[in-house]
Structure formats: structure tokens, C-alpha cells
Amino acid sequence: MSAQIIDGKAFAAQLRARVGERAAAFAAAAGRPAGLAVVLVGDDPASSVYVKSKGKATVAANMASFEHRLPADTAQADLAALIDRLNADPAVDGILVQLPLPAHLDEAALLLRIDPDKDVDGFHPVNAGRLATGLDGFVPCTPLGCLMLLRDQLGDLSGKDAIVIGRSNIVGKPMAALLTRDSCTVTLAHSRTRDLAQHVARADIVVAAVGRAGFVRGEWLKPGACVIDVGINRVDGALTGDVEFDSAASVAGAITPVPGGVGPMTIACLLRNTLVAAHRNAQLPLDSDI
């Protein structure tokens, strides 16, 4: 068996195109473009690249990009004041504070300060609670992208056995909640789970987000399983996922590559969340297929 490769790059391009079309229509209806504000503190090279790419993608999707680049020694009170101003700015529909922040800043307190209705990253506890209780809110972009890829590949997920390996607030926990909401039977596992291979062997869906290169091996998988690899690890200068790709691809029915799988979906879903926030803020309807 040779697994079908799930092309996240192509799917993300289609999603970004749909968002761009809807964003143009929003601007015409609202008299202003949807707006995303991104805050970067310090000069971390990887974060700077991410912020630049997000800005380009935002403009390409017919939205306004507001970048705020602050020095690494920015005080907590000054960053909090900026967030307050963005919360109050009607031109800003989504706010993203690029993580990680410098060590002297209280990351949790600053994320709490973001208006939950502008929290397009989906990290605010209010949005986590909305997801857990089945209410409308913003879902973190990476697990939302994973869900879209799974639905596109498998159709109805109802009744499928799923395992999520990794329990972070950014990926693992919201991923498990999303799969539960789609009526999967979900196991939330992690690096300390006993007999992990036995749990994986039962799963129709495997989402690996544990942050260890090649952690999930092909011999663990149920033949025909759909494997979503969220991991981004650099080994000997090359990017690799949390799944041992070659062995997994010989057993799985479908699998995401690294790179080119989940990664492109994250920015596409950020744009999608910003578009949803804009429509909610302007009290305009939005097609459900977005």
C-alpha cells in the first residue's frame, strides 16, 4: 500500500482564494476592508519571517494589514496599552500577538487582554471554553486546518476512532475538541501515554502534534489510517514531522507531508478567522462554506 499524499499547500491556496473573494465582497458591503493587526516584539528571526508572510497573505486576500513591530525591551504596560487600543479600533477585526514573547513579558496576561471577539488565533480562554461547550468562537488555526483536511479527505468523520498525540493548548486539546464535535471517538494521548502504539493501532485518524521528530512509526498504524502530521522539526538542516514518513506512508491510506501539509493551512485559517470576525463585527452574514 502506498498512501495518498494530502496536499495541504493546494488546499490552502483554494481556501485563501475563497477568503479573498469574500473579503472583497465584505469591503464593498461594509465600506472598509477587514483588518488584521499583528504585533511583533523583538527581532526573533523566525517570528519576523512569519509576520512578514502573514502581512503579505493578508493584503493578497483583500484585507488591511496593520503591523506593529516593537523593541525587545518593550514594557508589559506599553504592550497592554497597544492591545487596548487595537481592541477599541473599529478598523481592526483580528489581533494576533506573535509568540513567543521576550521572557520578561507575561504572555498569558497579555493574551487574556485581547478581546475574545478579535482573538483570531483562538488562544483566549473564552474561545477555548466556547469550543469545549459547543458555542461559536474562534478555533486555533492549526487544528482548524487539520480538521478541514480530514473532512476533505474522509468526508463525514462521524463514528471514526481518532487519536491526537500531544496535549498543547494550541493544537492537541482544541484538535481533540474539534474531532469530538464531529462525532469521532477521541483518545487524547501524549509522550507519557502507556502502550501508545496499541492506542494508535486502533485509530482511523492519527493526528501527531507531540514535537518529536519521527516519534510515530509506521508499524504502529492501522492499515488505511489517515495521518495528519503537525510536527515541524529541524533535523540535520531539513524539516521533518512527528511521523516517520516513509514507514507510515507504506501503511496509511493518506498522509500529510512535512513540509507542504498542515503548515500552509495555518495562515489560510488565520485569514479565514479574520474574515469571520469582520462579518461578526459588522453584523453582516457570511456563507457557511468558508
Side-chain angles (χ1 to χ4, degrees):
M1 179 185 296
S2 182
Q4 179 179 346
I5 304 302
I6 300 172
D7 191 344
K9 188 175 181 180
F11 189 99
Q14 294 168 6
L15 176 57
R16 285 165 67 162
R18 292 200 305 274
V19 168
E21 291 173 2
R22 305 297 199 288
F26 171 85
R32 66 168 182 87
L36 173 63
V38 179
V39 179
L40 175 64
V41 183
D43 53 5
D44 177 77
S47 293
S48 185
V49 169
Y50 290 146
V51 167
K52 186 176 181 180
S53 65
K54 287 170 183 173
K56 285 184 176 178
T58 303
V59 173
N62 299 312
M63 299 182 190
S65 175
F66 306 104
E67 287 187 14
H68 297 268
R69 294 175 178 258
L70 307 178
D73 61 355
T74 296
Q76 180 91 5
D78 292 336
L79 184 49
L82 172 60
I83 292 172
D84 289 346
R85 291 196 298 274
L86 296 175
N87 283 337
D89 188 343
V92 173
D93 298 293
I95 302 170
L96 184 155
V97 176
Q98 183 66 43
L99 304 179
L101 291 171
H104 71 282
L105 295 171
D106 185 342
E107 193 171 279
L110 290 163
L111 293 180
L112 273 172
R113 203 164 186 110
I114 297 172
D115 180 346
D117 293 328
K118 294 190 177 187
D119 167 42
V120 288
D121 253 342
F123 295 162
H124 196 288
V126 166
N127 281 318
R130 287 169 175 168
L131 174 59
T133 55
L135 299 175
D136 282 337
F138 291 110
V139 177
C141 301
T142 299
L144 179 58
C146 293
L147 183 71
M148 290 181 178
L149 292 177
L150 284 167
R151 286 174 172 173
D152 183 65
Q153 184 68 34
L154 301 176
D156 183 12
L157 305 184
S158 178
K160 294 190 181 298
D161 282 311
I163 186 166
V164 180
I165 309 170
R167 51 184 166 175
S168 72
N169 292 331
I170 294 173
V171 180
K173 290 176 185 175
M175 188 76 248
L178 285 170
L179 290 167
T180 300
R181 194 170 71 180
D182 264 30
S183 299
C184 293
T185 301
V186 183
T187 298
L188 180 56
H190 43 80
S191 60
R192 297 185 185 181
T193 298
R194 292 180 183 176
D195 303 318
L196 179 59
Q198 295 181 27
H199 292 286
V200 174
R202 297 196 303 268
D204 305 303
I205 295 168
V206 178
V207 181
V210 74
R212 296 189 184 183
F215 182 75
V216 177
R217 300 197 293 273
E219 60 263 30
W220 295 3
L221 298 173
K222 178 180 181 179
C226 187
V227 180
I228 304 294
D229 190 349
V230 182
I232 301 177
N233 310 283
R234 192 169 291 278
V235 178
D236 297 329
L239 289 180
T240 185
D242 290 350
V243 178
E244 195 176 74
F245 183 84
D246 290 343
S247 65
S250 68
V251 180
I255 188 170
T256 57
V258 177
V262 173
M265 292 297 297
T266 299
I267 289 181
C269 288
L270 173 66
L271 299 174
R272 178 260 180 204
N273 280 355
T274 302
L275 182 66
V276 171
H279 280 79
R280 289 178 180 170
N281 291 340
Q283 298 183 328
L284 290 173
L286 178 64
D287 293 341
S288 59
D289 68 341
I290 201 66

